[in-house]
Amino acid sequence: MFPQFGATADTLSKASTMVFRIGTDAHLYDDPEDVSIAPLLDSKFDSEKCEALKRLLALIAQGFDVSNFFPQVVKNVATQSLEVKKLVYLYLLHYAQKRPNEALLSINCFQKDLGDPNPLVRAWALRAMAGIRLHVIAPLVVVAVGKCARDPSVYVRKCAANALPKLNDLRLDEYTAGIEEIIGILLNDNSPCVVGAAAAAFSSICPTNLSLIGRNYRRLCEILPDIEEWGQIVLIGILLRYVIARHGFVQESIMASLHHTENSKSQNDFCDTNSVLEDSSDMSGLHESELANAVFRCYIEGPDEYLSRVGFMNKDFSEFNPHFTSGNNNEDVKFLLRCTSPLLWSNNSAVVLAAAGVHWIMSPMEEVKRIVKPLLFVQRSSTASKYVVLCNIQLFAKAIPSLFSPYFEDFFICSSDSYQIKALKLDILAHIATDSSIPFVLKEFQDYIRDPDRRFAADTVAAIGICAQRLPKMANTCLEFLLALTRQQVMTGEFGSVEGEANILIQAIMSIKSIVQRDPPSHEKVIIQLVRSLNSVKVPAARAIIVWMVGEYNSLGDIIPRMLTTVLKYLARCFTSEELETKLQICNTTVKVLLRAEGNDRSTIQKVLSYVLELAKCDLSYDVRDRAYFLKNLLSSYLDSQGLKEENIILSQNKDIPCVLAKYLFGGKTKSNSSEPIDHRFYLPGSLSQIVLHAAPGYEPLPKPCTMLSDGLEINGFGEGVTNSDTYVTDDQNSVSESLDEENSSSYSSQHSNGSGSEGDGSASEDDDNSNPLIQLTDVGNAHEVKNGASQSASDFGELLSNRALESWLDEQPGFSSSHNPEQSQVHRSSARISIGDFGGQVKPKIYALLDPVNGNGLKVDYSFSSEISDISPLFICIEVSFKNCSNEIMCDIYLVDEESDKGTDSGDQTSVTHESSMISQNNASNLASVEEIASLESGQTVTRIIQVRFHHHLLPLKLTLYCNGKKLPVKLRPDIGYFVRALPLDVDAFTIKESHLRGMFECTRRCNFIDHIEDLDKNKGDKSLVEDKFLVICRSLALKMLSNANLYLVSVDMPVAAKLDDATGLCLRFSSKLLSTSVPCLITITVEGRCSEPLELTVKVNCEETVFGLNLLNRIVNFLG
């Protein structure tokens, strides 16, 4: 290029780059160390100091450590140059925590700059002071923030609001009231930018102190449209929570109508709902009603609490009666809706979602449609936010399909949409389709099935099945379309070659199955057609579904029973060439047909079943072989000719448990599944949790309606004043957890995961050594047998599913007992189980010293954490405190009080206050529940008391005051993070499911060495014990160590299966718990590696949504295990 001028493309590119860099500081990044920085910092000229500081910041940006210049930089903090001062502040903020002593030298200059006439200097000084996060200067920062909160400059007041969250991170509990007072001042500010920053500070510091909002509610609503966009999002959420906590839900809103529809409490409200919403018949189905009610309940209770309680009894059994207010008469609600209406057309899509969430929850039924067009406009105009908006529209459409049903064309697929967008639009279309729009939707679906993306085509087929279930009138049309699609593709033979084509066939047959389940008698021909296509269908999952339908509907109509013998012979002939899932369904289907067979077909089917089971016993898959052995033992009377003759007599006497169990498992009548159980997770609209479908850090459900009095005090179930976070734990949840603890009281996990239990429980467990295994958990039915003293449960179902009933006939089968040596089986049992009586009294919590006799004038006070649950609040922890008199004199008047509450009230004046008022004040202000006073303590006497304490943080000690003989002794009660959780009873399956939801950022792992088992093994060397017992010694040592230092539940122990009996690699212990404050699950898994006689290498894994708590708990576990 231009060779005559000597220029090339490379030189021209460099030249253009140099031109664009003129007048900038980009050259500092080229070679920032080309000039000596130290002399420039000591220069008399501000320009040279500025150049040196810029080079230091350039080095910091590139990752270099330049903390050695800290003393020279601090000297320049008193400069008069604004540019130099700003650069010095930036440097100090970066290195203040590494060099705290030098940073303290600049505090005087910061305080001086707080009085500077220039508001920029005042703001910089405050920001620098708040950024130096040292507890030493925290009181000065609090005073500075309070001063700047009243500054005449708007920018300074905004910096004061931004400094409050940094100050709160230091956990200064003694300044909490002052910080909240400053937030109240800033919320009352006239500037919108200050109010936005104050709202962000409020949401991160005291989101439950809604009394601050009540004082300025009207002003905050009026100023809401003028606040910057991200401040609007925060403030909208705060105002919504305040209105719900203060007034409850609007009686005319969708939330109230959903609640009344589910509970059938108000027929008038139900009629109003049908009259207001057009085409309301679309949402009248049972499944949509349950789903809408689940959305309403998840908003208030949280999905985890709601699903765990509903799943426990497979139904919602709690009494839930939220409070409602009239939207027409409540001025606060009307004012909030009026001020958020303009924000529905904001340029920021997040603001639109936040405002739409308010109207979705609080707006009357006739006005809720106003959110539809703004949401549709956002998802059409903003490509970046389309996925987020569609996720929220999907929730609205599932709960109330009639809202978006007139706008179904807006959700048609575009060729430029990504797969995720297409899947969301498909799901929305399937849920908003009506009888009038379904022809257009189905025509659109026909084009989607021909899409090159076969995964998307399979989703389209699944959407057709959803339409058929929602619209019974169009079920036959959808069914014909699905059958035609199945015939066409099966005849062309495309499904076996491409994975995407196979998924289409699977989804088509699954959709057909769901349609048939709604009304089986009218779809007999459909089942026959699918059975006849078995020879052509080659996809294993599709064949398994068809085989399942054969067994489920084997007695339907007149033609299907006559086909069964031929079909079963065909399946038996193809058994060896089938895949795993198909083989399992063939076994189950043959059993179902045999149980209902009559006449001559019975003997033929019996032979087919025997042949299939013999093939299954030789299969390569463990699952198929186990299923074969199970079915053969279960149906021994059916496969035996003599047992076949005596079947009626045995069943009439109800003595042959296998026959009864087989009838129960495989001989039940077909049940129509009109709706599937609601197991989805629903979160507040516009939240991150609604996108990722799990509770993101910081997510909180809506407060309980009308839980805030006029003065802003929150009321919990005990009648005491608490915050909103305390009210989230309902009585029903406590009753469920208590019932679980009672039902599992005979197992090792429930007794000893609670730390030091009562003496009565320990003696009871020692009497029955073999009934409480460590490795295998006791089932609920067996637990009731031990507790109630009954031999078996009264119900037939409990009798059939109890361990003793199953083992009584499984052990009698020749395939299980006769083929093994009795001595070998005895060894196997000793290596697989360990009784509670062996170490029931060894689980002892660690003892800490609260006061030694030297500082306590002869009084020794020790404490240990108890596994008992506080009856005051879930935030309180029970601690066992022992007082021992080590002196020769009698001590009197010994009691503990909270140091903070002791400053405000004298101990002698407490008796003059009434009991009720004192209890309320104590619960609100004190961190220590009332403790019974020790009147006198003799020499050498020891007295124990149980106290209930609320720690401010799981790492910060609590300052208390101990009074003895009229003397005041300050003490510090140090927390143990292992007792900030309580045992959470889980089985292995539930543990695995919860663990799968807590991956990624919610999982942390550390490794450590464990040597405590070596001492136990050395003690057993003289006994010449078996090699397998070494595993049990390791299990016992690990379990004792964990349960003695934390309140956990032992879920399971996986024993290693290896050729080397001395190799403990593969041993795995699982513990479950949940946080006391938030009921968030916290799962712990310990994996062992190494030889039994050597120090073991442990891998400790903690899964918890509270990542900071999980990491601290992991460090604590590693410390006491190592």
Side-chain angles (χ1 to χ4, degrees):
M1 179 181 291
F2 306 115
Q4 63 274 22
F5 298 105
T8 61
D10 188 20
T11 56
L12 288 177
S13 176
K14 292 181 179 179
S16 62
T17 304
M18 294 298 296
V19 171
F20 285 114
R21 288 159 59 97
I22 295 176
T24 66
D25 294 328
H27 64 281
L28 299 175
Y29 292 90
D30 296 337
D31 190 9
E33 292 183 329
D34 60 349
V35 179
S36 181
I37 296 176
L40 295 178
L41 291 174
D42 297 332
S43 175
K44 298 181 180 179
F45 302 101
D46 292 338
S47 60
E48 294 182 354
K49 293 180 180 179
C50 184
E51 181 73 13
L53 290 170
K54 287 181 179 180
R55 293 184 182 276
L56 287 178
L57 295 178
L59 288 171
I60 293 174
Q62 297 179 43
F64 293 99
D65 184 11
V66 291
S67 59
N68 55 314
F69 294 99
F70 197 93
Q72 295 174 284
V73 175
V74 171
K75 292 189 301 183
N76 294 302
V77 74
T79 183
Q80 299 299 322
S81 174
L82 294 181
E83 188 174 6
V84 174
K85 188 183 291 290
K86 183 177 181 180
L87 294 174
V88 170
Y89 282 164
L90 293 175
Y91 181 89
L92 291 178
L93 286 176
H94 192 270
Y95 285 111
Q97 290 184 349
K98 293 183 179 180
R99 308 289 291 270
N101 295 329
E102 289 86 348
L104 294 177
L105 298 176
S106 59
I107 295 300
N108 292 333
C109 295
F110 293 154
Q111 291 180 303
K112 181 181 177 181
D113 289 341
L114 289 175
D116 194 275
N118 192 334
L120 291 178
V121 176
R122 298 197 300 270
W124 293 344
L126 178 63
R127 185 170 58 182
M129 287 186 67
I132 302 175
R133 304 186 183 185
L134 300 176
H135 286 81
V136 180
I137 66 172
L140 300 177
V141 179
V142 173
V143 176
V145 173
K147 178 182 177 181
C148 293
R150 300 171 177 85
D151 194 276
S153 173
V154 174
Y155 182 67
V156 177
R157 298 199 301 271
K158 180 180 179 181
C159 289
N162 292 331
L164 287 174
K166 302 176 184 178
L167 188 60
N168 184 69
D169 291 340
L170 297 177
R171 302 292 179 183
L172 303 174
D173 300 321
E174 59 270 21
Y175 298 106
T176 302
I179 294 176
E180 294 182 1
E181 181 181 357
I182 296 174
I183 293 177
I185 295 173
L186 295 173
L187 286 173
N188 196 28
D189 200 277
N190 295 323
S191 174
C193 64
V194 176
V195 174
F202 174 87
S203 63
S204 62
I205 296 174
C206 52
T208 58
N209 189 6
L210 297 176
S211 58
L212 298 176
I213 305 300
R215 304 169 191 168
N216 311 290
Y217 175 76
R218 291 276 176 161
R219 287 196 64 264
L220 293 176
C221 290
E222 291 174 351
I223 206 172
L224 179 60
D226 300 326
I227 298 176
E228 52 94 16
E229 293 176 342
W230 299 111
Q232 288 176 346
I233 300 171
V234 177
L235 189 55
I236 286 174
I238 295 173
L239 295 175
L240 174 63
R241 294 175 183 276
Y242 168 78
V243 171
I244 293 177
R246 182 70 179 87
H247 304 288
F249 289 96
V250 177
Q251 191 172 4
E252 299 85 4
S253 67
I254 288 181
M255 297 294 106
S257 66
L258 296 180
H259 177 72
H260 292 316
T261 301
E262 178 67 20
N263 296 280
S264 300
K265 288 187 176 182
S266 176
Q267 185 65 28
N268 295 330
D269 291 340
F270 183 75
C271 295
D272 293 340
T273 303
N274 293 336
S275 61
V276 172
L277 288 178
E278 299 177 0
D279 298 330
S280 59
S281 59
D282 298 340
M283 56 170 290
S284 61
L286 178 60
H287 179 67
E288 292 173 357
S289 176
E290 292 178 353
L291 187 141
N293 183 66
V295 173
F296 170 63
R297 301 292 297 274
C298 288
Y299 283 171
I300 300 179
E301 300 178 359
D304 295 332
E305 177 184 348
Y306 172 71
L307 292 177
S308 61
R309 178 168 41 75
V310 173
F312 176 71
M313 294 296 293
N314 199 20
K315 63 178 181 178
D316 187 0
F317 57 85
S318 64
E319 296 181 0
F320 185 75
N321 296 316
H323 299 271
F324 298 98
T325 183
S326 176
N328 298 325
N329 300 328
N330 194 307
E331 295 298 328
D332 287 348
V333 176
K334 293 168 62 177
F335 204 68
L336 176 61
L337 295 176
R338 185 164 62 250
C339 293
T340 53
S341 294
L343 300 181
L344 290 172
W345 298 100
S346 173
N347 293 328
N348 192 319
S349 57
V351 177
V352 176
L353 284 177
V358 173
H359 287 265
W360 166 256
I361 296 173
M362 300 300 294
S363 181
M365 294 286 295
E366 60 272 8
E367 299 178 5
V368 75
K369 290 186 177 181
R370 69 176 63 177
I371 71 173
V372 176
K373 291 185 177 179
L375 291 175
L376 294 177
F377 178 78
V378 171
Q379 72 96 11
R380 285 198 304 264
S381 59
S382 176
T383 305
S385 58
K386 181 181 293 186
Y387 178 79
V388 178
V389 176
L390 285 174
C391 286
N392 289 271
I393 292 178
Q394 180 188 34
L395 172 63
F396 300 153
K398 285 184 177 181
I400 309 294
S402 57
L403 282 179
F404 293 90
S405 56
Y407 309 96
F408 65 93
E409 293 181 351
D410 290 280
F411 301 101
F412 284 169
I413 308 300
C414 300
S415 58
S416 59
D417 289 338
S418 62
Y419 170 74
Q420 290 77 13
I421 301 294
K422 291 179 180 179
L424 286 174
K425 287 186 175 182
L426 266 182
D427 191 57
I428 295 173
L429 278 173
H431 283 88
I432 66 174
T434 59
D435 293 333
S436 58
S437 63
I438 190 62
F440 304 97
V441 174
L442 289 179
K443 185 177 180 180
E444 192 76 11
F445 283 172
Q446 293 178 7
D447 295 334
Y448 298 162
I449 293 177
R450 294 189 291 269
D451 192 274
D453 187 356
R454 307 313 292 164
R455 182 174 56 166
F456 170 61
D459 293 341
T460 304
V461 176
I464 295 175
I466 296 176
C467 293
Q469 294 181 58
R470 288 189 60 255
L471 305 173
K473 296 181 180 179
M474 301 299 297
N476 292 332
T477 303
C478 296
L479 184 61
E480 292 176 0
F481 178 80
L482 293 172
L483 289 174
L485 176 66
T486 304
R487 286 194 301 268
Q488 177 184 357
Q489 300 298 337
V490 167
M491 292 177 62
T492 55
E494 296 178 359
F495 286 105
S497 57
V498 185
E499 182 179 358
E501 300 294 339
N503 292 333
I504 294 177
L505 178 59
I506 294 171
Q507 291 293 344
I509 295 182
M510 288 180 62
S511 300
I512 294 173
K513 186 194 77 171
S514 62
I515 297 174
V516 171
Q517 281 183 295
R518 300 180 67 90
D519 188 13
S522 60
H523 297 96
E524 180 185 358
K525 295 182 180 179
V526 176
I527 301 174
I528 297 173
Q529 183 176 347
L530 291 177
V531 173
R532 290 176 176 173
S533 64
L534 262 176
N535 194 28
S536 303
V537 176
K538 303 300 181 182
V539 181
R543 290 178 62 86
I545 297 174
I546 297 175
V547 174
W548 177 87
M549 296 177 68
V550 172
E552 191 70 14
Y553 307 109
N554 61 77
S555 60
L556 184 66
D558 298 331
I559 301 177
I560 295 179
R562 295 198 300 266
M563 298 172 56
L564 292 176
T565 304
T566 305
V567 173
L568 292 179
K569 289 181 180 179
Y570 164 76
L571 294 175
R573 186 171 63 254
C574 303
F575 185 84
T576 55
S577 60
E578 300 288 352
E579 296 295 333
L580 172 62
E581 48 194 336
T582 309
K583 290 179 180 179
L584 294 176
Q585 285 300 334
I586 290 175
C587 295
N588 294 342
T589 297
T590 310
V591 173
K592 292 179 183 179
V593 175
L594 176 63
L595 292 177
R596 295 185 182 180
E598 296 178 355
N600 298 330
D601 294 338
R602 190 182 186 92
S603 58
T604 304
I605 297 174
Q606 180 182 354
K607 295 179 182 178
V608 173
L609 178 59
S610 301
Y611 175 74
V612 169
L613 293 181
E614 290 297 326
L615 293 176
K617 287 166 60 178
C618 303
D619 197 84
L620 296 177
S621 173
Y622 287 101
D623 294 333
V624 177
R625 295 202 300 268
D626 291 344
R627 183 69 58 88
Y629 285 118
F630 170 74
L631 294 177
K632 185 174 182 179
N633 293 325
L634 186 67
L635 303 172
S636 58
S637 61
Y638 288 91
L639 299 177
D640 187 6
S641 59
Q642 183 178 359
L644 187 63
K645 297 177 181 178
E646 300 176 355
E647 175 191 354
N648 296 329
I649 302 177
I650 295 175
L651 291 178
S652 62
Q653 295 178 355
N654 197 18
K655 293 183 179 180
D656 195 351
I657 295 178
C659 295
V660 180
L661 185 59
K663 284 286 187 180
Y664 181 83
L665 294 177
F666 299 100
K669 296 182 179 179
T670 304
K671 299 180 181 179
S672 61
N673 295 329
S674 59
S675 63
E676 298 179 357
I678 304 298
D679 57 353
H680 304 287
R681 296 175 179 267
F682 302 105
Y683 297 88
L684 293 177
S687 63
L688 174 63
S689 302
Q690 179 59 31
I691 307 302
V692 298
L693 295 180
H694 65 79
Y699 175 82
E700 289 291 340
L702 293 175
K704 299 297 175 63
C706 296
T707 53
M708 194 180 85
L709 299 180
S710 57
D711 58 353
L713 183 68
E714 305 294 333
I715 302 299
N716 68 355
F718 300 94
E720 62 189 26
V722 294
T723 59
N724 277 349
S725 59
D726 295 333
T727 63
Y728 293 155
V729 181
T730 61
D731 295 337
D732 294 325
Q733 182 183 2
N734 294 334
S735 63
V736 172
S737 61
E738 290 173 3
S739 63
L740 284 174
D741 292 339
E742 292 176 2
E743 289 175 353
N744 294 280
S745 60
S746 63
S747 66
Y748 164 81
S749 310
S750 59
Q751 282 190 11
H752 297 281
S753 62
N754 294 331
S756 59
S758 61
E759 296 179 0
D761 295 339
S763 62
S765 62
E766 291 175 359
D767 294 337
D768 190 4
D769 292 340
N770 297 324
S771 61
N772 297 289
L774 170 66
I775 311 304
Q776 181 180 356
L777 298 179
T778 307
D779 66 323
V780 177
N782 197 11
H784 279 291
E785 292 175 16
V786 177
K787 181 177 180 180
N788 301 327
S791 60
Q792 289 183 348
S793 176
S795 62
D796 294 337
F797 182 70
E799 178 183 353
L800 291 174
L801 297 185
S802 63
N803 277 344
R804 295 182 181 179
L806 290 173
E807 292 175 357
S808 64
W809 61 269
L810 279 175
D811 292 339
E812 294 177 357
Q813 304 303 323
F816 288 89
S817 60
S818 60
S819 61
H820 295 280
N821 192 353
E823 296 181 359
Q824 294 178 356
S825 62
Q826 184 177 0
V827 171
H828 176 71
R829 285 195 295 271
S830 65
S831 63
R833 291 188 176 184
I834 181 171
S835 62
I836 291 181
D838 293 338
F839 61 100
Q842 300 180 24
V843 179
K844 297 179 181 179
K846 186 177 180 180
I847 299 176
Y848 302 87
L850 184 64
L851 183 67
D852 56 6
V854 177
N855 297 325
N857 299 324
L859 178 63
K860 180 181 179 183
V861 183
D862 296 331
Y863 68 97
S864 61
F865 289 84
S866 174
S867 59
E868 297 180 7
I869 304 302
S870 173
D871 55 354
I872 297 178
S873 172
L875 300 178
F876 280 76
I877 298 176
C878 295
I879 300 177
E880 183 177 350
V881 184
S882 62
F883 302 82
K884 183 177 182 181
N885 186 358
C886 299
S887 65
N888 297 326
E889 299 177 359
I890 300 177
M891 297 182 179
C892 60
D893 299 332
I894 303 174
Y895 57 92
L896 276 170
V897 295
D898 185 11
E899 189 179 47
E900 296 178 357
S901 61
D902 185 60
K903 293 179 181 179
T905 59
D906 186 59
S907 60
D909 298 335
Q910 292 179 356
T911 56
S912 61
V913 187
T914 61
H915 176 71
E916 181 179 359
S917 61
S918 64
M919 286 298 295
I920 294 177
S921 63
Q922 184 179 12
N923 290 333
N924 288 335
S926 178
N927 298 313
L928 176 66
S930 59
V931 184
E932 182 182 357
E933 179 181 350
I934 302 176
S936 63
L937 192 64
E938 300 289 339
S939 176
Q941 183 182 2
T942 302
V943 177
T944 303
R945 291 284 186 270
I946 299 295
I947 65 174
Q948 300 184 35
V949 178
R950 176 177 57 189
F951 290 93
H952 300 298
H953 192 264
H954 57 264
L955 299 179
L956 299 179
L958 180 65
K959 298 179 181 179
L960 300 177
T961 303
L962 176 64
Y963 286 88
C964 178
N965 295 331
K967 295 182 180 180
K968 179 180 178 181
L969 302 173
V971 295
K972 285 187 177 181
L973 197 64
R974 302 190 180 276
D976 189 344
I977 192 174
Y979 290 88
F980 280 72
V981 296
R982 64 174 297 183
L984 177 62
L986 293 176
D987 55 11
V988 180
D989 295 336
F991 183 97
T992 306
I993 293 173
K994 288 184 178 292
E995 186 183 35
S996 64
H997 295 161
L998 297 173
R999 300 292 187 185
M1001 62 179 293
F1002 301 126
E1003 181 178 295
C1004 48
T1005 306
R1006 282 191 62 182
R1007 302 176 74 90
C1008 65
N1009 293 328
F1010 184 75
I1011 60 175
D1012 291 0
H1013 68 288
I1014 298 179
E1015 182 179 357
D1016 297 333
L1017 289 175
D1018 293 337
K1019 293 179 181 179
N1020 298 332
K1021 282 186 178 180
D1023 299 337
K1024 298 181 180 179
S1025 58
L1026 296 175
V1027 177
E1028 287 81 359
D1029 291 337
K1030 293 183 179 180
F1031 297 145
L1032 303 183
V1033 173
I1034 297 174
C1035 293
R1036 185 187 299 108
S1037 301
L1038 281 172
L1040 283 174
K1041 200 70 174 180
M1042 292 292 295
L1043 300 179
S1044 298
N1045 290 272
N1047 189 7
L1048 305 173
Y1049 180 92
L1050 180 59
V1051 178
S1052 66
V1053 177
D1054 291 348
M1055 303 296 289
V1057 180
K1060 298 181 180 179
L1061 298 179
D1062 193 42
D1063 187 9
T1065 302
L1067 181 64
C1068 179
L1069 288 83
R1070 299 181 180 89
F1071 301 88
S1072 61
S1073 62
K1074 62 180 179 180
L1075 274 66
L1076 291 177
S1077 57
T1078 59
S1079 298
V1080 172
C1082 183
L1083 310 179
I1084 302 170
T1085 305
I1086 299 178
T1087 307
V1088 180
E1089 295 180 9
R1091 297 176 62 86
C1092 296
S1093 57
E1094 300 176 355
L1096 299 173
E1097 186 175 5
L1098 304 182
T1099 301
V1100 185
K1101 181 178 66 175
V1102 175
N1103 299 84
C1104 183
E1105 289 184 5
E1106 298 288 344
T1107 54
V1108 177
F1109 181 90
L1111 184 59
N1112 291 331
L1113 179 60
L1114 176 63
N1115 295 332
R1116 167 66 178 154
I1117 295 173
V1118 171
N1119 287 337
F1120 66 71
L1121 286 179

